[in-house]
Amino acid sequence: MAETLSHQALKRLAVAWLWRLGCRVIATEVACPIGRYRIDVAGWFDAPLPDLGADAGGRDATPLWTTTEAPRRGRSTRPEAWSTVIVECKQSRADLFRDAADPEAILAERERLERKRVDLEERRIKRFEPQLRREGTSLFTELDEWDFAASRLGAYRETLRQIERLEEGLYGQTKFARFARYRLADRLVLFTPAGLARPRELPAGWGLVECDRRPLRKDGARLAARTDPAEPLPLRVRVAPPPLVSPATRRERLFRSIAIAATRASIDSAEPPTPPR
């Protein structure tokens, strides 16, 4: 199926957004390192990610009307100090959700399971699997990150499987759930036109950035072709993506996929060599 101008424009805006955040290795149509998926946009940072500056619940959405780039931070050659972002662009609800008999019932059940997941993490895993705490990841011990995905607790792993099955039925594919479950990137972001998805409808582990519909409708062709570096971006962080703490090995694999995609795009766009006379 041919790609629409709106989808192309969302991808172009995602590239510009990542660039202004300080990302300098970006590519579109990136091959997924863990499955036969295609990633719309992916970026790699040589330092920890900047603060996206949005309320995690989406109550105080933050505009991104900036024309300045993020300050350059100290570079690192250590994979554990890198960070990665994946962006998926959806232009319609039909594009986001697969037909479901009762999507509201699925969402309600997923919310119940998410509450159960959090309860298991706080009451069981932190008590019986203290080795999963990543010591030193925060100035305050109580704010240290936890590698919950490595838990061997049967009830917890079954809850994760149930959530994934629900999301398969809701979104029509395992792509969203797998990216989050295997922490393919440090942040997962959904790009959509404004008002397309409610925060409670987002796949678990994903954030939401919305684009003003007017530029997409009136200026989509130009946005799909390019964005002016001095032009403010018509974007707003609706829900900040939660940190997933991607393992260093997955950061390396995703970085390799981004580099391959960027190289392929550069070769495809290059002018063909002049044939010898």
Side-chain angles (χ1 to χ4, degrees):
M1 185 171 61
E3 185 179 30
T4 65
L5 282 175
S6 292
H7 192 262
Q8 293 176 26
L10 286 171
K11 290 201 304 185
R12 177 65 63 177
L13 286 168
V15 170
W17 179 67
L18 288 174
W19 179 266
R20 295 187 190 188
L21 284 176
C23 182
R24 290 299 177 266
V25 183
I26 311 169
T28 62
E29 298 300 315
V30 177
C32 177
I34 63 170
R36 300 181 65 179
Y37 302 115
R38 188 68 63 175
I39 299 167
D40 283 337
V41 182
W44 172 89
F45 293 78
D46 57 6
L49 281 168
D51 184 5
L52 295 183
D55 176 82
R59 291 183 295 274
D60 297 315
T62 303
L64 294 174
W65 296 97
T66 177
T67 60
T68 59
E69 297 178 357
R72 299 298 294 149
R73 292 152 292 152
R75 298 181 178 180
S76 176
T77 58
R78 297 180 297 111
E80 60 271 21
W82 299 344
S83 49
T84 51
V85 178
I86 284 176
V87 177
E88 283 294 307
C89 302
K90 299 297 179 183
Q91 62 180 351
S92 68
R93 288 184 67 82
D95 192 27
L96 178 61
F97 300 108
R98 186 175 71 178
D99 291 339
D102 190 350
E104 287 297 324
I106 295 176
L107 287 169
E109 177 62 10
R110 192 185 69 174
E111 289 175 353
R112 184 189 71 80
L113 288 171
E114 285 290 343
R115 290 193 296 270
K116 180 179 179 180
R117 175 187 64 79
V118 172
D119 184 70
L120 288 169
E121 290 173 352
E122 295 296 325
R123 295 177 179 271
R124 300 285 299 279
I125 295 178
K126 287 187 176 181
R127 179 180 178 185
F128 297 109
E129 297 182 296
Q131 73 278 9
L132 299 182
R133 192 181 82 188
R134 296 175 179 270
E135 295 184 10
T137 54
S138 174
L139 292 175
F140 305 99
T141 303
E142 63 272 17
L143 297 179
D144 278 346
E145 296 168 349
W146 287 72
D147 187 10
F148 293 120
S151 172
R152 295 182 177 274
L153 184 65
Y156 182 73
R157 300 189 72 83
E158 176 58 27
T159 299
L160 293 181
R161 283 192 289 269
Q162 291 178 18
I163 292 173
E164 184 170 349
R165 284 196 293 270
L166 283 176
E167 295 199 337
E168 289 176 16
L170 187 62
Y171 302 108
Q173 54 187 339
T174 60
K175 186 177 186 179
F176 290 133
R178 286 183 183 273
F179 284 7
R181 181 176 181 180
Y182 294 106
R183 294 176 293 156
L184 184 58
D186 295 282
R187 299 290 190 279
L188 303 173
V189 185
L190 194 64
F191 259 57
T192 73
L196 184 140
R198 293 171 292 178
R200 68 185 291 262
E201 295 174 329
L202 293 180
W206 288 73
L208 175 64
V209 172
E210 294 181 327
C211 177
D212 188 352
R213 287 179 179 270
R214 183 175 298 176
L216 281 179
R217 184 173 59 252
K218 293 188 175 182
D219 214 11
R222 183 185 64 80
L223 289 173
R226 64 179 180 83
T227 55
D228 188 334
E231 179 183 21
L233 300 178
L235 301 175
R236 180 178 293 269
V237 177
R238 184 74 175 93
V239 177
L244 297 180
V245 193
S246 181
T249 53
R250 295 211 176 98
R251 289 185 184 130
E252 290 183 277
R253 293 177 65 185
L254 183 58
F255 173 67
R256 180 177 182 273
S257 294
I258 295 170
I260 291 172
T263 302
R264 183 181 62 244
S266 178
I267 293 173
D268 291 343
S269 64
E271 295 183 0
T274 303
R277 295 181 179 178

